[in-house]
Amino acid sequence: MARFLVTGGAGYVGSHVVLALQERGDEVVVLDDLRQGHRAAVPPGVELVVADLADRRRVDEVFAGWSFEGVLHFAALSLVGESMREPMRYLAENLSNTATLADAAVRSGCRRFVLSSTAALFGHPEKMPIDEAARIIPGSAYGESKFMAETALDWADRVHGLRSAALRYFNAAGADPKGRLGEDHTPETHLIPLAIDAALGRRDPLMVFGDDYPTPDGTCIRDYVHVTDLADAHLRVMDRLKDGPSVRYNVGNGLGHSVKQVIESVERIGGRRVPHSIGPRRPGDPAILVASNEKLRRETGWQPYHAGLDEIVRTAWAWREAHPRGYDDRAVPEGAARAA
Ligand SMILES: NC(=O)c1ccc[n+]([C@@H]2O[C@H](COP(=O)([O-])OP(=O)(O)OC[C@H]3O[C@@H](n4cnc5c(N)ncnc54)[C@H](O)[C@@H]3O)[C@@H](O)[C@H]2O)c1
């Protein structure tokens, strides 16, 4: 058994990783200020520290209170559109919070660090699928901020020997197959939950941004990776850092699906039409983004177990249908600590 600190562990991807760590017998402390996350997404038995990462004193207290084998860092500003309106806030906050955390980890003697990075590093890639050698030309301030966070971690290794992995996720999707966790963002910007909610009549018709891209059906193609598979990647990579060097991986299914294919899948699984309309292209959206997951497979033995689009959509549909208002945080009173 080991103990890990998970920042942003009350959020979508982080909570699925917390659950996976807990299920294999590790102890977890979550640090999250709940600006996006949910108390109810933190499983019983896990300590939740409600704090902003920008609060160095609180971060230091956490490292003084527990010793950690490793840190998994999910907490970040992560809306591409917002980052183009407030670029300085994104660059400053995502870099400085990563640096604060890495610094605290180093000072406490913690030697392993996994960062949530993003496919947004690659802007408009020249070659598909995108492997780790692809040129990094972020198409947004959000992507740039994650690249700066990766660079900070390179320095933490070079100077202090902190071993890190940056996982460049493509599109995280789906929900815990046992229905314990799901995706609940406000605002929601991800296609699958938006399409499901449109089908369930819980929101306005879905807007498809452009159907004149150079793809077979004209809509953008993305790589949807199941959040449980993504969680598994984190555990494997964290384990590998014990003896291995710092590393960067692209994490996706290796398969692309168009917006229209996603809509069709939601209609198939839900048995309802997804009301939608076609709008103009969104500035900066590349036509196709698909990951090469070869390196991750080769070096960690990872493989996607929930690779089919219908399976991904089925788990997302089940959770959203069962949680019409998302997580019910009132069911977990503040201070009724999730501690064991
Ligand atoms: N969801 C995706 O498809 C996707 C794709 C690529 C990269 N990522 C990256 O993965 C990470 C997790 O994504 P997600 O979809 O789970 O996001 P999320 O918003 O659901 O989770 C992030 C969590 O971090 C917390 N948080 C944010 N800033 C904080 C701060 N300063 N202090 C304390 N807590 C803070 C939020 O309350 C939230 O619970 C992010 O870093 C994101 O950039 C996500």
Side-chain angles (χ1 to χ4, degrees):
M1 194 206 77
R3 187 185 301 114
F4 294 97
L5 175 64
V6 180
T7 75
Y12 172 47
V13 183
S15 60
H16 285 79
V17 172
V18 169
L19 190 61
L21 286 166
Q22 195 190 37
E23 283 192 324
R24 74 171 191 182
D26 288 328
E27 193 184 320
V28 184
V29 175
V30 166
L31 187 155
D32 197 304
D33 66 1
L34 303 179
R35 68 176 72 179
Q36 263 292 344
H38 305 274
R39 230 171 248 288
V42 179
V46 169
E47 184 88 28
L48 168 64
V49 179
V50 180
D52 186 337
L53 265 176
D55 185 344
R56 280 173 180 251
R57 195 179 52 84
R58 292 298 303 282
V59 172
D60 285 344
E61 277 170 15
V62 169
F63 280 92
W66 291 275
S67 67
F68 299 108
E69 278 284 318
V71 173
L72 298 109
H73 178 34
F74 297 90
L77 297 171
S78 55
L79 300 177
V80 171
E82 186 179 64
S83 82
M84 298 306 275
R85 293 189 296 276
E86 301 177 69
M88 296 311 142
R89 178 173 162 232
Y90 268 68
L91 298 176
E93 189 166 328
N94 284 348
L95 172 62
S96 82
N97 286 350
T98 305
T100 299
L101 194 60
D103 189 44
V106 165
R107 281 187 283 113
S108 76
C110 168
R111 315 241 38 98
R112 292 184 275 158
F113 195 108
V114 176
L115 171 75
S116 298
S117 190
T118 172
L121 247 51
F122 300 112
H124 288 75
E126 290 143 10
K127 194 170 114 236
M128 267 326 128
I130 306 167
D131 65 21
E132 289 77 4
R135 276 210 297 164
I136 292 178
I137 312 178
S140 63
Y142 163 64
E144 185 73 47
S145 74
K146 290 287 184 171
F147 182 53
M148 287 162 66
E150 289 194 7
T151 306
L153 291 177
D154 287 343
W155 282 99
D157 186 1
R158 197 161 144 186
V159 176
H160 301 296
L162 180 70
R163 295 283 161 78
S164 71
L167 299 187
R168 287 98 173 239
Y169 316 158
F170 283 58
N171 293 57
D176 170 48
K178 293 186 182 155
R180 294 165 293 183
L181 299 170
E183 181 167 16
D184 180 8
H185 291 117
T186 309
E188 188 52 79
T189 58
H190 294 140
L191 176 61
I192 292 176
L194 288 175
I196 292 173
D197 282 1
L200 290 169
R202 290 181 189 156
R203 63 176 313 120
D204 295 341
L206 182 73
M207 174 69 80
V208 176
F209 297 108
D211 65 351
D212 57 351
Y213 284 93
T215 60
D217 66 23
T219 62
C220 285
I221 291 178
R222 295 289 180 268
D223 181 325
Y224 297 91
V225 56
H226 195 282
V227 66
T228 301
D229 288 327
L230 201 48
D232 180 38
H234 285 77
L235 271 52
R236 289 171 183 271
V237 165
M238 180 57 91
D239 289 347
R240 196 179 146 77
L241 286 178
K242 240 190 256 174
D243 309 307
S246 291
V247 68
R248 309 285 175 252
Y249 291 115
N250 293 354
V251 192
N253 247 328
L255 301 169
H257 291 100
S258 72
V259 175
K260 279 192 181 154
Q261 286 175 314
V262 169
I263 290 174
E264 284 159 15
S265 171
V266 170
E267 292 182 336
R268 235 182 348 264
I269 298 302
R272 301 185 190 206
R273 225 179 63 74
V274 175
H276 63 276
S277 56
I278 309 292
R281 290 183 181 195
R282 234 175 3 189
D285 265 347
I288 306 178
L289 286 176
V290 176
S292 162
N293 54 30
E294 281 312 305
K295 182 176 174 196
L296 180 68
R297 284 176 183 263
R298 196 174 57 245
E299 295 187 357
T300 71
W302 179 84
Q303 57 173 298
Y305 288 101
H306 309 280
L309 181 61
D310 281 1
E311 192 182 348
I312 291 172
V313 168
R314 188 174 295 113
T315 58
W317 181 282
W319 194 82
R320 287 190 89 81
E321 198 178 32
H323 299 82
R325 284 182 212 80
Y327 282 108
D328 183 3
D329 289 319
R330 289 160 313 170
V332 189
E334 197 174 331
R338 311 293 292 178

